[in-house]
Amino acid sequence: MRSYSPDLTPPWKRSKPAPEVPAEPDLVVEEVSTGFCGAVIRCEKTAEGPTVTLEDRFGKHRVFPLVERGFMLEGRVVTLVRPTAGGPVRPTRTASGSVAVPGARARVARAGRIYVEGRHDAELVERVWGDDLRIEGVVVEYLEGIDDLPAIVAEFAPAADARLGVLVDHLVPGSKESRLAEQVTGDDVLIVGHPYIDVWQAVKPSSVGIPAWPTIPRGQDWKTGVCRELGWPENTGAAWQRILSSVRSYRDLEPELLGRVEELIDFVTEPGLD
């Protein structure tokens, strides 16, 4: 017969049991022993026990064991546990990282617009920010280049209740793009851009499965040159679909694009414009 050993620890010294919280994707927690803070990427069952992978805001991943009282959630100690099996988990955040609004209806389109240079730019913005844009009622259109940007802006006639934001590729000092942008900047029009030759480069190479975007000599078609250097078929349409399919969320994009798109959305949806 096994003997009973009472717990003689005074009540005020006993640790209170920590609440158990399912480690659902995108839940942001802090690991107590290291202070590493990040969003849950996945849970796995290993030979050493269950683990959780966190990703911080810089894209760094760390794997931690799911131990009792191992994490902080909103300032309190919790015990993370593997999510229970069942139906598909509803995303708690959109691809852009915004809080998801289940069942939200698309808003009637605003008078304001966001213009981007080309179809690939528009498809990438839709993939990451599409849910947010529909809720905000923001329409994104593509221009097929910006050589006629001053005339396009004049025709749109930006106003306080109809702002225009434009995302430009390769917006660097001294470029053709920067000179065009200077001609149309105003209170109700915002021109922003990223430093990349093409929006392809705004997708992180690691997400595409390549070590880096190759450098293509001037005078060559950049996209065709990229396909050639990477050993891909010289079909830029198929190459783009390959790149786009590798983008699952904002984590797959470079900060230089993320910040600029967020800036445009804020500009055309500023409170009080409607």
Side-chain angles (χ1 to χ4, degrees):
M1 182 176 180
R2 193 167 63 180
S3 61
Y4 169 70
S5 299
D7 184 358
L8 300 179
T9 306
W12 59 88
K13 289 188 178 182
R14 295 176 189 171
S15 297
K16 294 182 180 179
E20 293 187 350
V21 176
E24 302 284 5
D26 291 324
L27 180 72
V28 178
V29 295
E30 178 182 336
E31 202 276 330
V32 295
S33 63
T34 63
F36 185 89
C37 183
V40 173
I41 300 300
R42 60 181 172 272
C43 289
E44 296 177 297
K45 187 176 181 180
T46 71
E48 290 76 29
T51 64
V52 62
T53 302
L54 304 182
E55 180 184 65
D56 70 8
R57 62 192 181 94
F58 302 107
K60 183 179 180 180
H61 288 193
R62 291 279 299 274
V63 180
F64 298 101
L66 287 178
V67 297
E68 186 177 358
R69 302 177 65 84
F71 299 87
M72 296 281 289
L73 174 64
E74 297 179 349
R76 61 174 182 161
V77 176
V78 299
T79 297
L80 287 189
V81 296
R82 295 180 69 195
T84 56
V89 176
R90 184 185 298 275
T92 57
R93 294 188 178 274
T94 66
S96 72
S98 301
V99 176
V101 184
R105 286 188 172 186
R107 176 176 173 161
V108 175
R110 294 173 182 264
R113 290 288 188 274
I114 291 177
Y115 287 168
V116 297
E117 280 205 49
R119 181 170 59 85
H120 293 179
D121 306 69
E123 290 177 344
L124 187 59
V125 170
E126 163 62 26
R127 190 168 186 89
V128 176
W129 288 275
D131 290 340
D132 306 56
L133 293 169
R134 279 182 283 280
I135 291 175
E136 294 290 350
V138 177
V139 175
V140 175
E141 300 179 12
Y142 66 91
L143 304 174
E144 296 183 338
I146 63 164
D147 289 345
D148 297 323
L149 185 60
I152 291 169
V153 173
E155 182 179 358
F156 183 87
D161 59 349
R163 284 183 164 183
L164 176 64
V166 184
L167 178 68
V168 177
D169 296 343
H170 198 231
L171 188 63
V172 295
S175 66
K176 173 192 73 174
E177 291 81 2
S178 66
R179 291 192 293 272
L180 287 170
E182 289 171 359
Q183 297 178 40
V184 296
T185 299
D187 291 340
D188 301 312
V189 57
L190 176 65
I191 313 295
V192 300
H194 55 74
Y196 306 114
I197 295 173
D198 190 272
V199 77
W200 287 20
Q201 289 180 295
V203 181
K204 292 180 179 178
S206 58
S207 296
V208 183
I210 59 176
W213 289 106
T215 300
I216 307 303
R218 296 189 66 175
Q220 292 187 26
D221 179 76
W222 188 84
K223 292 176 181 176
T224 302
V226 166
C227 292
R228 186 180 300 124
E229 289 295 322
L230 294 177
W232 296 352
E234 293 182 22
N235 180 332
T236 57
W240 170 243
Q241 291 306 313
R242 176 175 182 167
I243 296 165
L244 185 62
S245 66
S246 71
V247 177
R248 293 166 293 279
S249 76
Y250 72 95
R251 298 184 183 95
D252 297 305
L253 302 182
E254 298 287 1
E256 288 81 357
L257 177 66
L258 290 173
R260 301 295 73 75
V261 175
E262 297 284 355
E263 188 176 353
L264 289 177
I265 295 173
D266 289 344
F267 179 75
V268 300
T269 62
E270 184 177 328
L273 293 180
D274 289 345

